[in-house]
Amino acid sequence: MEHQKVLILDFGGQYNQLIARRVRELNVFCDLLPCDMSLEKIKAYNPIGIIFTGGPNSVYEEGSPRIDKGVFELGIPVLGICYGCQLMAHTLGGVVEHATTSEYGKVEVEYLPSLITKEMPQNAVCWMSHTDRITKLPEGFKMIAKSDNCPFAAFGDEEKKLYGVQFHPEVNHTFMGTQILKNFLYEVCKAQGDWTMSNFVANQIAALKAKIGDKKVLCAMSGGVDSAVAATLVHKAVGDQLTCVFVDHGLLRKYEAEEVMSVFKDGLGMNLIKADDGEEFLSRLEGVSDPERKRKIIGEQFIRSFEKQAKAIGKVDFLVQGTIYPDVIESGKGKSAVIKSHHNVGGLPSVVDFEEIVEPLRDLFKDEVRKVGFELGLPKNVVMRQPFPGPGLAIRIMGEVTKEKLETLRDSDYILRDEIAKAGLDTEIWQYFTVITNSKTVGVQGDFRTYENVVAIRAVTSLDAMTADWARIPYDVLETISTRIVNEVKHVNRIVYDITSKPPATIEWE
Ligand code: XMP
C-alpha cells in the first residue's frame, strides 16, 4: 500500500534529521533529500507537502543554496524553517537583511490566528538561532508571529498554503513546537496519518515474501537492534529460507552470546549459526596495543569468520543488511571527516556469493526500528539494547587485550548495567560502559597495599552519537556502582568517572 509522503529539502541545518523524525512521529512518512533536487524530481516525488530546513548560509550571499521559484506554483503546501523561510521570502520578492541583533536561544513570541498556529497560546517561548531577518514580506503574505527583534517570526500566504517560521518548531525548547508541525501536516497538507509501524510491518512482510519467493537468504547478525529487527522481519516473511550467522569474536559483553542464541534460536526458532572464533581473534590481537591496528585486525578477522560459514552454506540469493535511514541520508552538509575507522558488517558483500542485498529498514530512523522490534514481539533487552561497537570490548581496553583484562571489564560492565537499570536510568542514558584504562594505582584493601587497575565509567546522553554529553548520574548511584565494582571485581582498586562531552572527546575511548 502506498503511503502519503512529505518531502524535506535539506539546506544543511543541524536539526534536519530531527525535523524528519518529528514528522514521522506524527505518523506521516517523509524523506530528507538534498536541496538541489530538480523541480521535475520534486513533482515526480509527489509529496503532500514540502518542508525547507534551516541552513548555515545567508540568502543574499553569492553561492548560497537556492530553490526553483516554480516549487511555489505547484499547489503543494510549503513550510520554510529558519533559512528555509528566508529563502521563501527572498525568492518571492521579500527582503532579508543582516540583523543588527542576532537571536539565539529561547525567545518569547506572540502568535496570531492562522492554520499553522491553531491551538497555540497567544504568547509562548520558541527556539531561535539566526542572524538574518526578514524585513519585508512578499506580496500576499501576512505576519503570523512576531518577537521583539523579529517582526516576522512566522508568516504565511494562506491561500497558496505557503508558510515560514523563523524559529525551530522541531526542537523541544519551542513550547508546543510539535503542534505547529502537526497543524502544517494535518490542517494544511490534509495528511491522513497513514505511517504507523504496524502498517510498516504488515507491508514489509508482504513485500519481502513477494521479493524473496522460495529463494535462500543469509544475514550476518551482530546482536545489535538493527540486524536483529531486520532478520526477524525476514524470518517472519520466509522462515527457514533465512540462515543467520552470528560471529562470537570473544569480545562481547557478559552473557551477550547466550542471550542472542536464546532469543533468536530457542525463542524464535531461527536458523542461527554461532561461529565461536574468540580464540582466533584473541591470538591475532596478542601484543597489539594501537587502537587503529586493533580495529583493522578485528574487521578483517570478522570477514574471515563470516566467509568460513558462508562457504559452508553455499550460494544464496539474498543478503540481509540492517542499514537504517541515517546511513543513507545524503546530507546537505556534505561528507564529514572520518574520525575512527568504523568496523561494520557492511564490509561483507564482496566475500559472499549472493545476487542481491535486501535492506528492510532502510527507510527507518532508530526509534522507528525499535517500535518495529516491539511490534514483532522482540524482548526489551534486545529492542532497547544500547549501541555496541563492532570491535566490541577490544576498544574499551586501553593497550593490549588480554583474557584477564576482558574478564575484569566484563564483570565491571555487568555491575554498571545492573545498577543503571535498577536506578531506572537505562532508557535515559544513550550508552554506558566501563573502560580498563591501562594505568594502575596504589590502593589499600584490608591491611594490604594493592597495585591494581583503574576502571573508568563512561556514560553519555545523545540523540545520534554525533555529539554527546556526559550523563549526570546521581552521586548515590555512582557510589553504589563504585563500591560494588571494587568489592566484587578482581584486579580493580579505583574507579573514575569520565566527565567529557563529545566533542572534544569521543564516546568510546579508542
Ligand atoms: P565514537 O566513539 O566515535 O562513537 O564517539 C560513536 C558511536 O559509534 C559506536 N562505534 C562503533 N560502531 N563499529 C560500530 O558499529 C565501530 O567500529 C564503532 N566505533 C564506535 C560507538 O559505540 C558510538 O555509539
Side-chain angles (χ1 to χ4, degrees), residues 112-121 176 179-180 183 187:
L112 271 68
S114 80
L115 276 184
I116 63 161
T117 49
K118 213 172 151 183
E119 296 189 26
M120 293 301 284
M176 287 178 68
Q179 182 66 36
I180 293 178
N183 289 337
E187 300 294 328

Side-chain angles (χ1 to χ4, degrees), residues 10 12-13 16-17 32 34 328-335:
D10 184 352
N16 296 354
Q17 288 202 22
L32 182 62
V328 297
I329 290 179
E330 226 186 291
S331 167
K333 278 186 274 189
K335 301 252 175 299

Side-chain angles (χ1 to χ4, degrees), residues 236-258:
K236 293 254 179 210
V238 299
D240 269 357
Q241 288 159 247
L242 168 71
T243 306
C244 292
V245 175
F246 169 54
V247 175
D248 181 351
H249 51 19
L251 304 163
L252 297 169
R253 293 172 300 177
K254 199 163 178 161
Y255 304 133
E256 197 150 26
E258 291 86 345

Side-chain angles (χ1 to χ4, degrees), residues 295 340-344 387-391 395-396 430-431 465 502 506-510:
R295 282 172 174 274
K340 294 173 187 174
S341 60
H342 272 210
H343 141 90
N344 273 323
F388 186 65
I395 57 167
R396 294 177 180 173
W430 171 268
Q431 262 178 294
K502 172 185 179 176
T506 50
I507 296 177
E508 303 289 346
W509 273 39
E510 281 193 342

